[in-house]
Structure formats: C-alpha cells, structure tokens
Amino acid sequence: MKESNMNKITALYCRLSQEDLRAGESLSIENQRLMLKEYAEKNGFCNCQYYVDDGYSGVSSNRPDYQRMLKDVENGLVGTVIVKDQSRLSRNYLEAGRLMDLLFPAYDVRFIAITDAVDSAEGSNDWSGLKNYLNDFYARDTSKKVRAVQRAKGERGERVGAIIAYGYMKDPNDPKHIVPNPETAPVIKRIFEMYASGKGIKKICAELEKDEVLSPSVYAFRKTGSRAGDPKLDKPYAWTIRTVRNMLSNQIYCGDTVNFKTYTKSYKLKKRIKNSPENMRVFKDTHEAIIDRITFDLVQRHFSGRKRADKRGDMDKYAGYLYCAECGSRLYLHRGKMEKDNSFRCGHYESRKSDCTMHYIRESVIDAVVLQSLKKVTTYAREHSDEFFNMAMSNGEKEAKEQLKDSEELRDEYESRIKQLETAISMLYMDRVTGRVSPERYDSLAAGYEKEQSDLKTKLDELNSKASAVNVREQCIRDFIANAKENVNITKVTPELLRTFIKRIEVYEKTEKYARNCTNRIIIDFTFTTTNAFEVDGIMIGTEKVMNAV
C-alpha cells in the first residue's frame, strides 16, 4: 500500500438487492461484511469504514452509501475501495468502467474485488471489462424475466403495483387481494362526497386539515415506517391538491384493477412514463369498492368540465351535466360580478374549434327550468308510482330483448373459445414437460394464448354486466321512485339533487339570436334509462324531454 494512502479510509463497500437475496446466502450483507473484514485484517488495511446499501439494485447509481463513498473519494478521504466482487460496485458496465478506469485512478484510489482477483495495485486486469459487461448482461436478463412475469400477472388481472392505494389494505386471508381499510376508507368516501357536493379540491384539503386527518404519507410512516411520498412529519395534517386530485381520478376506488398505467423505457431508467389508455388493462369488480360507480363517474364528468372553484371554494354544480345540443361541447360557466349574472356558453364557440354559436344562457334560467322539471317529475313518480313505473318500463322493451339475444350468442362464442384456449395451454404445457417444445417457444405461445384468453374474459365480463338490460333499467326506475319519495320538498337545485336525478342537460341556441324575448330549448335526461320519449304531466321524459327556458 502506498504510504500516502496509509492514513486514508479503507472503504469496505457492501450491496444487496432483492434479486441477489434470492440468489443465496453467500451474497448476504453479513457474509460480505465478514469477507471484507477478514481480507482487510489479513492484508494489513487499517482505518476501515463500511459503506452498506441493503436492498438497492446495482443497475442504479442512486444508492445512499454508494454516493457517500464516491463523495469521500472526490474529497480525497479514501485510499482504498474493497468489494466482494465487481458486481457489488455496479452492474452498469459504463458506470463500473468509469469508476475503475477514470475516477479511482484520478484520485489515486486502490480498487480491490476479492473473488474476481482484481487489484489495481498489481496493474490492469484484462478480464475486468468483460466481467463488467457480463454483470450488466445479467441485470438486463433478470429485468427481462421480471418484466415478463409482471406482464403475465397483469394480463391475468392480478394487481402488479407494489404500493397499495390509500384506503385499502392487504386481505389478512389472501395477500394478493385487497380490502377496504377501516381507518382510511371513510376518508376516501368523505373526499368523494365533498367533491360530488360541489366543493373544490382546495377547500377539501382545508377541511381535512382542520379536522386533523393524517395525510396519506404520514399515515403510512406511522403505520409501517415507510418514507415513501416524503412525509412532512412537522405538518402531519397537510393535504396537497395533487394528492386529492389523484385520489379522485383513481379507478381502484370503484372496485377496478388498472394495470400498466405507467412504464419505463429501459431497465436502467427508473423514471415512470404514463401509458396511453389503449395500452392499459382494466379489470372491473376485482375487489370491494369504496365508492359506488355512479359517484365515481360523476366526479370524472366534473373533471372533464372546468375545475376552477370560486372564491368560496365551491365548484360549478353543472360541470359534467350541461352540453351544447348542436355540437356536443360542454357549456362552461362564466361568473359575473354578482351571482345572478353567472352564465353559460358553448365551449367550442369560446375556443373557436367549430362554427357553433354562443348558446348563451343564464345560470338562474337553468336553475328555474331544472327545478320546475324536478318538482313535476318527482311528484308524479311519488304520487303515481305504479303508473310511472309501467310507462318507463314499456319503453325500449323490444330493443332490450334484441340486445339480450345478441349478448347470449356472443357469450356462448366467448365461453367456447376460452375453453379451447385452456385446453391448448394444458397440451402445450405437456409438450413443454416432455421436451417437444422448447422453454422459449412455450413462453411465447403461452403468453399469446393467455393474452387472448384474458381479452375474451374481459369482453365476457362486459357482456355479463349488460346482459340483464331489463333488470338494470327496472332497478334504475325503482331507485328513481325511491329517491323521489325521499326528496319531497325540493326548493333549490343542488349538486346532490343533480347527482340523484339527472344524467345530462342539453341546451339549444335561441331561434332568434340575441333576442331578449326568445327562449332556449332545453332537454333534460333523467337517471333512469329509456329509449323512447313519454309524457308525464306535460313534461316529455326520455330522448325528447323538451322544455323552454323562461
């Protein structure tokens, strides 16, 4: 050892990743510590200091003690670096080459890899570069295998994400399954209910903080010690707008599993990139929902409209409901100096995306028409329930039966093909066992069969959800009648009433543009499903519910 390095640190670097842990006990941190200690004592190295990264991949350079060691090297504090083998230092051959050929020589640091018989004091090793490349190749091959396994799991509908969403927990009886967390699921319900009732995200955050509800990152830290999400321990009740926004758009809360939402371009690049919707896989009703699908869909419609809240933190209650009857664009709220001056205009007219007209209409006019309609229709549904039910059910009966017939034929076709694929996979496995098919060929064919089978199961689930069209419509009508009986005194249009009774409102342009005495034609689509229009107490219900704004 050079005399100039005698008083410097002898860095004993240890690293262990999850893949290395599965490879065997020989790579454990304790085994590495013991080997490095014995080597240092036997060869007279002093002033030894351990640098340990437990649970970090060698592909990444973002390792705490690895970076600390390099910083000490650059500060001239380290004289020797000793590792068990070159792969402990890095599995990225470019990074390993940079250290061994450039950085260590530049700072006069001696590098030793014990099992690879590498010692820079004895001159360059001709095999070092090849070993670095093989270490990199091993990491690439491992990544490829892990990705293939994750892809297969994701295609089967299994949850592939490592992090469990706030509001859920692992099922004690089945670690692969998730169930609502009794402590945090009520918070998710509250957030959705507040937003659906018209409160803006900023106001929701303020109320959660006021009521001292722990933020998700702080809650996770106190439960598990995890520092994921950078928990602000000095501000445990501080909720961010981004956190709430992500929760409100997370489909997991209505019982669905969404796989492949993000991806990475390379096993060396850890940055997650948002995937396009067509490359995602959605499996419905895979676990217990925290939020009913109607409320979730309503919130998504709100997000599609203007999200800006007013000075009080309240949202536009018609966001996601109000549309232009001519071009189909949403009507956006324009707030006046006073609330009575609030008005709506066609989005395509405002953005000049089409030749559509303004469709100007005051919010107070919309309120008056919707309130009048709600009172008449709910009163009729409440006081003449049987007649209302029969009229609603009689519409679209023929079309529903035809849809059911088509669904039955497709169901038989899908189920038959799924059984054929199951048989093919079983036979292919036998060929793999007997050696008639190579492992690589088996993996390729099996993946294709499983993907087709998964696609068919998804289509089958969609058919099953639509199969009972008559029953679904019947339930919608009964729910409408039940809600009408609960809401007897309707005095004001609220987000809760819109969510309960109305799906869509369409506004036509005035027949005489800018005329003060001319009214807009308005169509209101209620929550129960109908195909043809029918009249209730002077109001058309269905696809042609025509009313005039006064």
Side-chain angles (χ1 to χ4, degrees):
M1 182 186 302
K2 289 184 179 181
E3 188 172 339
S4 60
N5 286 353
M6 289 290 293
N7 297 324
K8 291 185 178 181
I9 295 172
T10 298
L12 308 180
Y13 181 72
C14 310
R15 181 188 63 78
L16 183 72
S17 68
Q18 295 298 321
E19 291 77 17
D20 295 328
L21 184 61
R22 288 192 288 268
E25 180 64 23
S26 63
L27 287 176
S28 69
I29 291 294
E30 288 306 314
N31 182 276
Q32 292 181 57
R33 278 178 175 270
L34 181 60
M35 177 182 287
L36 298 179
K37 179 182 178 183
E38 290 179 349
Y39 184 89
E41 291 177 349
K42 182 178 179 180
N43 291 276
F45 290 96
C46 56
N47 195 17
C48 295
Q49 182 173 324
Y50 287 101
Y51 296 81
V52 180
D53 286 316
D54 195 355
Y56 289 88
S57 170
V59 174
S60 172
S61 298
N62 190 21
R63 294 172 259 153
D65 266 23
Y66 175 79
Q67 291 296 333
R68 183 168 68 89
M69 180 182 71
L70 295 187
K71 187 175 181 180
D72 288 346
V73 168
E74 292 171 353
N75 288 333
L77 303 178
V78 176
T80 306
V81 173
I82 306 176
V83 294
K84 179 180 180 291
D85 56 61
Q86 291 177 204
S87 68
R88 299 304 90 203
L89 186 67
S90 178
R91 285 195 182 275
N92 184 329
Y93 78 96
L94 293 176
E95 175 70 2
R98 181 184 74 86
L99 296 180
M100 295 170 61
D101 297 336
L102 298 176
L103 184 67
F104 290 162
Y107 289 93
D108 197 22
V109 174
R110 181 180 179 183
F111 174 69
I112 299 173
I114 300 172
T115 59
D116 289 335
V118 172
D119 187 343
S120 61
E122 298 177 359
S124 61
N125 188 312
D126 294 336
W127 294 101
S128 293
L130 180 60
K131 284 183 179 293
N132 287 335
Y133 178 78
L134 292 176
N135 290 333
D136 193 302
F137 179 80
Y138 172 83
R140 185 187 301 116
D141 186 58
T142 300
S143 174
K144 183 179 178 180
K145 291 177 180 178
V146 170
R147 285 170 183 252
V149 171
Q150 291 294 91
R151 168 60 63 174
K153 289 174 61 177
E155 293 290 352
R156 291 196 299 267
E158 296 183 25
R159 186 176 57 85
V160 295
I163 300 176
I164 299 177
Y166 179 83
Y168 282 101
M169 58 184 283
K170 285 185 178 180
D171 187 342
N173 301 319
D174 183 5
K176 292 184 178 181
H177 190 249
I178 57 175
V179 294
N181 186 329
E183 294 181 355
T184 56
V187 179
I188 294 295
K189 287 185 178 179
R190 181 183 176 188
I191 289 172
F192 272 84
E193 289 296 327
M194 283 195 289
Y195 190 85
S197 66
K199 291 183 179 178
I201 294 179
K202 189 174 182 180
K203 192 171 184 179
I204 292 174
C205 293
E207 290 200 15
L208 293 173
E209 184 172 358
K210 179 182 177 182
D211 294 341
E212 297 188 348
V213 178
L214 288 175
S215 68
S217 57
V218 174
Y219 175 83
F221 175 79
R222 292 190 177 182
K223 285 291 182 180
T224 66
S226 170
R227 288 189 173 274
D230 189 22
K232 301 294 188 295
L233 302 181
D234 56 332
K235 298 179 180 179
Y237 310 116
W239 285 70
T240 65
I241 292 176
R242 182 179 180 182
T243 296
V244 176
R245 176 68 176 82
N246 289 339
M247 287 179 175
L248 291 170
S249 60
N250 195 340
Q251 200 169 336
I252 193 174
Y253 294 122
C254 60
D256 300 342
T257 295
V258 183
N259 289 332
F260 314 126
K261 291 191 288 186
T262 61
Y263 71 98
T264 56
K265 289 186 176 182
S266 168
Y267 70 100
K268 293 182 181 180
L269 300 176
K270 301 304 179 183
K271 180 181 179 181
R272 306 299 302 184
I273 301 172
K274 189 174 181 180
N275 220 339
S276 56
E278 61 269 18
N279 293 328
M280 299 180 191
R281 299 286 289 145
V282 180
F283 301 87
K284 293 192 174 183
D285 303 319
T286 57
H287 52 268
E288 183 180 347
I290 296 178
I291 305 300
D292 63 87
R293 203 169 293 278
I294 294 176
T295 302
F296 183 81
D297 291 341
L298 167 68
V299 170
Q300 306 320 302
R301 291 206 305 272
H302 270 278
F303 280 141
S304 298
R306 180 163 293 172
K307 308 174 187 67
R308 182 172 59 87
D310 61 16
K311 293 180 180 179
R312 296 175 300 176
D314 294 330
M315 300 290 291
D316 167 23
K317 63 176 177 287
Y318 288 109
Y321 292 98
L322 210 55
Y323 293 84
C324 171
E326 270 81 22
C327 72
S329 169
R330 292 174 177 83
L331 264 63
Y332 291 98
L333 176 64
H334 291 256
R335 292 188 172 93
K337 292 182 178 180
M338 300 182 67
E339 189 174 352
K340 66 182 182 64
D341 297 324
N342 290 350
S343 62
F344 289 92
R345 300 173 192 175
C346 172
H348 280 177
Y349 168 81
E350 291 289 315
S351 62
R352 298 295 190 269
K353 288 184 178 180
S354 71
D355 296 330
C356 197
T357 54
M358 185 186 296
H359 288 70
Y360 174 90
I361 187 169
R362 288 185 181 276
E363 184 178 23
S364 58
V365 173
I366 294 287
D367 285 341
V369 173
V370 172
L371 183 62
Q372 179 190 17
S373 304
L374 283 174
K375 285 182 177 180
K376 286 189 176 182
V377 176
T378 55
T379 299
Y380 191 89
R382 183 168 56 248
E383 297 177 356
H384 306 280
S385 301
D386 293 339
E387 184 179 348
F388 181 90
F389 178 83
N390 291 332
M391 283 192 298
M393 281 297 296
S394 64
N395 286 269
E397 194 82 29
K398 181 178 178 181
E399 291 84 347
K401 289 181 178 179
E402 290 178 355
Q403 290 179 2
L404 287 174
K405 182 180 178 181
D406 294 339
S407 297
E408 289 295 334
E409 294 176 356
L410 281 175
R411 182 184 293 104
D412 293 341
E413 179 183 336
Y414 292 160
E415 289 178 344
S416 175
R417 180 56 181 164
I418 289 172
K419 290 180 180 178
Q420 291 176 2
L421 290 169
E422 193 65 41
T423 302
I425 293 172
S426 299
M427 295 176 64
L428 184 63
Y429 178 74
M430 292 303 298
D431 290 341
R432 164 71 178 86
V433 173
T434 58
R436 296 176 61 186
V437 175
S438 66
E440 293 77 13
R441 183 63 174 165
Y442 169 79
D443 291 341
S444 176
L445 292 174
Y449 287 154
E450 288 180 349
K451 186 178 186 309
E452 183 183 355
Q453 194 177 52
S454 176
D455 291 340
L456 289 172
K457 287 181 179 179
T458 300
K459 292 179 180 179
L460 189 60
D461 290 340
E462 292 175 355
L463 279 181
N464 289 333
S465 66
K466 297 177 182 178
S468 303
V470 176
N471 293 334
V472 170
R473 188 169 74 256
E474 178 182 344
Q475 187 60 47
C476 287
I477 298 169
R478 293 192 185 281
D479 289 343
F480 189 93
I481 295 172
N483 288 327
K485 291 180 178 179
E486 291 180 4
N487 294 270
V488 178
N489 298 316
I490 299 177
T491 58
K492 181 182 178 182
V493 178
T494 64
E496 290 80 8
L497 286 176
L498 291 172
R499 176 161 45 118
T500 302
F501 294 110
I502 292 176
K503 286 195 299 186
R504 184 183 178 98
I505 303 171
E506 294 186 353
V507 178
Y508 285 84
E509 182 60 276
K510 297 177 180 179
T511 53
E512 295 182 27
K513 204 172 181 181
Y514 306 121
R516 292 182 176 274
N517 58 350
C518 182
T519 59
N520 297 80
R521 181 181 168 207
I522 298 176
I523 294 178
I524 301 177
D525 191 8
F526 291 88
T527 52
F528 56 88
T529 304
T530 59
T531 303
N532 299 313
F534 65 96
E535 186 173 339
V536 170
D537 196 18
I539 297 177
M540 297 301 296
I541 306 299
T543 57
E544 288 298 330
K545 295 176 285 297
V546 180
M547 324 221 336
N548 286 326
V550 294

